[in-house]
Amino acid sequence: MLFLYGAMNTKPLHIISFDNPYPANYGGVIDVFYKVKALHTLGYEIYLHCFYDERATVAPELKAITKEVYLYPKNRRFTFLFSAFPFGVISRYHKSLGEHINAIEAPILFEGLQSTMLLHRLHCTNIKFLRLHNIESNFYAGMYASETNWLKKVLYYFEIGKYNKYEQQLHHFKRVFTLSPYEQQIVSQWTDAVTYLPVFHGNELVTPLSEKGSYCLYHGDLRLPDNKRVASFLIKVFKKLPEYKLIIASSASQEFVEKQTKGFANIQFEKIDDDSHLVSLLAEAHINVLWSFQKSGTKLKAVKALFKSRFCLINSNMVDDEALLNLCELANTEEELIQQIQRLYTLPYTQHETRATSLFKAMNDQKNAKILADLMENTVA
């Protein structure tokens, strides 16, 4: 049987999120916020349950697209480190969550494996779906490889092993929605009920820009080990290219960058104040140099750059969606990266129409929300 909606043709849906998704200013919460927004447009009555560390306020922007928002503080009890459950999972449960879920009969969409501790604390018959945000064992393996702090490295090591076991929980869900073809390929070995659904991102139009920008740009959260490793790598590269300007933009780790760039006038750090500031930096960039040492599907920073800037120069770890890959320039070694920077810097950017057509087809939030809704509504209980 199909799952039934409540009275008056409303479509109630529980969404359990690993974090408060507003402001939508980093990878995972961007996908959550714009997915909620798109589903609200389709008529869903959304009961949003969020675990948080610091985001303890429900913004008007979130209230406007939900029926109710419930906030639960994460429980970072030290003894959880010795649990068989991954720390990111066991720290996200609250007694009130079960009470709120039981109060409204509706399907549940779990955002990330971290949000699924409910499965082990409450018996509920709700139809369950999972939006998988990472292959967590791979994600923590990448964090482990890039981390330099030995204590964090040890913690990441144990999370890898715990997630290797916990990722076998997929039988709980009627359908799993992956973020990338890479993850789709892996998860399809664990379950047949899996669908690739591109990331929700909130961009509607490709920005029309002049043919020439002013610099190369790398932007990312420099609190993350992989991004810090990338920043150091790009600094090394641009020290060999004194005639080309590189801006490294982040809301954190200014001292980390400036310590490595002292004496090199062509490399500078720009502290990002808000999203409009980042958008203005993207609009002036000629080349977005987007690199990662960690393979985890298509990164949101690449999607944003394709909508808001000019050339996107990436390595293979940044994008794995064929439609987006065809819009980017590729380099996988330091030598190839240097050659591509030198080549692209002299080229005019004239790809606006081609890019707009491709992105409208592949990365359309409303179209992808309809796919998600249809699959949920036609799921056999």
Side-chain angles (χ1 to χ4, degrees):
M1 64 184 274
L2 306 183
F3 71 68
L4 300 178
Y5 295 128
M8 299 177 63
N9 202 34
T10 58
K11 298 187 283 189
L13 176 68
H14 291 291
I15 296 181
I16 304 178
S17 177
F18 55 87
D19 199 355
N20 182 341
Y22 198 87
N25 57 2
Y26 75 87
V29 297
I30 293 173
D31 180 67
V32 176
F33 178 77
Y34 289 107
K35 187 186 309 106
V36 170
K37 187 174 182 179
L39 289 172
H40 170 75
T41 302
L42 291 179
Y44 278 84
E45 188 176 78
I46 295 171
Y47 297 83
L48 181 63
H49 308 263
C50 309
F51 288 90
Y52 71 90
D53 273 326
E54 300 172 351
R55 297 168 170 239
T57 303
V58 180
E61 291 86 348
L62 202 54
K63 290 181 180 179
I65 57 176
T66 56
K67 178 68 174 178
E68 295 285 349
V69 180
Y70 305 98
L71 298 182
Y72 315 98
K74 282 193 278 187
N75 187 348
R76 293 189 170 276
R77 190 182 302 169
F78 176 74
T79 55
F80 286 169
L81 291 171
F82 305 101
S83 169
F85 292 106
F87 186 80
V89 175
I90 196 171
S91 61
R92 288 177 171 89
Y93 182 74
H94 195 282
K95 182 181 178 182
S96 296
L97 171 63
E99 295 171 355
H100 293 144
I101 292 291
N102 282 335
I104 303 294
E105 185 176 349
I108 305 172
L109 176 61
F110 292 85
E111 292 286 349
L113 274 177
Q114 303 100 314
S115 69
T116 61
M117 194 64 198
L118 176 74
L119 301 176
H120 312 282
R121 292 288 185 264
L122 180 74
H123 175 72
C124 61
T125 58
N126 310 57
I127 296 175
K128 303 170 188 70
F129 304 95
L130 174 66
R131 168 54 138 184
L132 198 67
H133 282 261
N134 283 300
I135 306 297
E136 297 295 344
S137 55
N138 288 359
F139 174 77
Y140 278 98
M143 297 279 278
Y144 173 84
S146 296
E147 184 56 65
T148 56
N149 180 293
W150 69 268
L151 179 58
K152 289 183 179 180
K153 208 171 181 73
V154 170
L155 294 176
Y156 292 152
Y157 177 81
F158 284 109
E159 286 289 278
I160 295 168
K162 291 177 181 181
Y163 272 115
N164 270 323
K165 295 179 180 178
Y166 195 73
E167 283 163 346
Q168 310 309 312
Q169 301 287 319
L170 300 187
H171 63 274
H172 288 285
F173 309 103
K174 289 295 184 181
R175 185 157 292 275
V176 177
F177 301 98
T178 57
L179 272 171
S180 69
Y182 165 69
E183 293 173 357
Q184 173 78 9
Q185 184 177 9
I186 294 174
V187 177
S188 63
Q189 299 172 34
W190 304 338
T191 176
D192 293 331
V194 57
T195 299
Y196 164 52
L197 193 67
V199 65
F200 291 81
H201 51 85
N203 299 288
E204 296 179 356
L205 298 174
V206 175
T207 304
L209 297 169
S210 63
E211 293 185 351
K212 187 67 177 174
S214 304
Y215 46 76
C216 299
L217 175 67
Y218 172 75
H219 75 277
D221 183 352
L222 293 185
R223 294 171 298 179
L224 299 178
D226 183 60
N227 291 345
K228 292 180 79 170
R229 185 179 174 189
V230 170
S232 295
F233 168 71
L234 293 180
I235 289 168
K236 174 186 171 186
V237 168
F238 277 83
K239 283 180 178 179
K240 300 176 182 179
L241 298 169
E243 66 274 35
Y244 300 96
K245 182 178 179 180
L246 171 67
I247 292 179
I248 297 175
S250 182
S251 59
S253 300
Q254 181 170 351
E255 184 178 351
F256 169 80
V257 172
E258 291 181 344
K259 184 177 179 180
Q260 298 179 70
T261 58
K262 189 174 182 180
F264 290 86
N266 65 315
I267 310 170
Q268 70 181 64
F269 179 87
E270 182 87 18
K271 184 176 174 61
I272 300 174
D273 297 324
D274 51 33
D275 187 63
S276 62
H277 183 194
L278 175 57
V279 169
S280 68
L281 290 171
L282 289 164
E284 293 298 321
H286 192 65
I287 306 173
N288 293 270
V289 186
L290 300 172
W291 203 269
S292 179
F293 292 101
Q294 184 172 344
K295 185 176 179 64
S296 58
T298 297
K299 308 284 196 299
L300 264 163
K301 68 180 74 174
V303 175
K304 193 174 189 77
L306 285 169
F307 273 93
K308 303 294 186 184
S309 195
R310 296 176 180 82
F311 292 110
C312 291
L313 174 54
I314 65 169
N315 72 336
S316 297
N317 289 341
M318 284 300 304
V319 171
D320 71 345
D321 187 307
E322 198 68 30
L324 302 189
L325 196 58
N326 291 334
L327 302 175
C328 299
E329 308 294 330
L330 192 64
N332 279 309
T333 67
E334 181 178 329
E335 181 181 0
E336 290 174 353
L337 180 61
I338 290 173
Q339 291 174 351
Q340 287 280 46
I341 291 168
Q342 292 171 330
R343 181 182 72 87
L344 292 172
Y345 219 85
T346 64
L347 291 181
Y349 169 72
T350 58
Q351 300 173 357
H352 177 264
E353 293 301 326
T354 301
R355 186 178 291 186
T357 300
S358 296
L359 290 176
F360 180 77
K361 291 178 181 177
M363 304 299 293
N364 186 312
D365 280 358
Q366 287 303 128
K367 183 186 79 171
N368 290 329
K370 186 65 167 58
I371 293 171
L372 172 61
D374 288 346
L375 285 168
M376 290 196 298
E377 293 175 26
N378 290 288
T379 294
V380 177

